[in-house]
Amino acid sequence: MKAGVRALGIAESYRGDHDRPRSTLAGAVVRADRVCDGLAYGTCRVGGTDGTDTVIGLIDDLDRPDVRYVLLGAIAPAWYNVLSLSRIREAVDRPVIAVTFEASDGLEAGLRDAFSGPELEDRLGTYRALPDRRELSVDGETVYVRHVGLEAADADDVVQAFTPAGGRPEPLRIARMAARAADSYVRTVE
């Protein structure tokens, strides 16, 4: 992949604080040669359903047509604020790749424990519409990939090209640090 190809990584700050009403999402534009050349922030409700709109808004606010790929560090940030990869793809007109880092039997049991009625049905519908998750070995570590807007082999190439060491793609690593730093700052001024 050419050094100047850019990906936007989006990660969150949420750390299990159900009493905090919002989670910070950070977006980091990172070139394939590992240079970070843009940051943006948004927030979504903890336990809400506004995560997809927040991600789309963050991408729109960045206004970076040079970004070729969107990488998401979660499919259900901020305590089950389930993201619609297909809606994000349609809204921003570029491939979307969700990369997660833990083995899982899925979210349905957790969703059923946390929600009921229309809240549950809404989240289950969004969750069930997600593409299947696949294992991918990156630098000897296993990550789990879902993607829309590109073929599996191409998604794997993007994840590997943006992962210089360890199993976390650089755009997601930087976005996660930025989200947590912003959230820590907000906690000190509250």
Side-chain angles (χ1 to χ4, degrees):
M1 184 169 296
K2 292 183 180 177
V5 173
R6 288 165 174 82
L8 170 65
I10 299 176
E12 67 167 330
S13 65
Y14 181 70
R15 298 180 194 172
D17 264 343
H18 296 338
D19 60 333
R20 294 191 49 87
R22 305 205 59 84
S23 178
T24 301
L25 298 182
V29 177
V30 178
R31 298 185 334 203
D33 64 0
R34 316 304 180 249
V35 173
C36 177
D37 70 357
L39 291 171
Y41 294 92
T43 64
C44 65
R45 286 187 339 267
V46 172
T49 57
D50 60 340
T52 297
D53 291 333
T54 299
V55 168
I56 292 168
L58 190 150
I59 296 166
D60 288 345
D61 289 348
L62 264 171
D63 192 26
R64 294 290 300 263
D66 57 336
V67 169
R68 292 208 14 216
Y69 308 101
V70 175
L71 280 68
L72 304 172
I75 59 156
W79 195 64
Y80 299 121
N81 201 323
V82 183
L83 302 178
S84 170
L85 274 58
S86 61
R87 271 194 54 220
I88 296 167
R89 161 78 170 118
E90 290 167 15
V92 303
D93 194 30
R94 51 200 93 169
V96 177
I97 305 167
V99 183
T100 54
F101 307 98
E102 296 176 16
S104 166
D105 291 330
L107 297 181
E108 285 204 31
L111 288 169
R112 288 182 189 286
D113 287 344
F115 301 97
S116 62
E119 287 186 324
L120 173 62
E121 293 310 315
D122 181 43
R123 286 168 178 80
L124 284 176
T126 303
Y127 176 68
R128 290 175 178 159
L130 290 170
D132 290 336
R133 184 167 106 136
R134 301 178 299 100
E135 284 188 17
L136 174 65
S137 179
V138 180
D139 289 334
E141 295 191 32
T142 300
V143 298
Y144 302 89
V145 177
R146 299 174 195 258
H147 53 88
V148 293
L150 71 172
E151 298 296 321
D154 295 329
D156 294 354
D157 288 346
V158 169
V159 171
Q160 291 173 336
F162 281 92
T163 308
R168 192 171 300 266
E170 195 70 358
L172 294 177
R173 189 185 73 77
I174 293 171
R176 181 176 181 218
M177 285 191 314
R180 288 188 171 186
D183 189 63
S184 292
Y185 173 74
V186 167
R187 287 173 189 254
T188 64
V189 297
E190 286 181 337

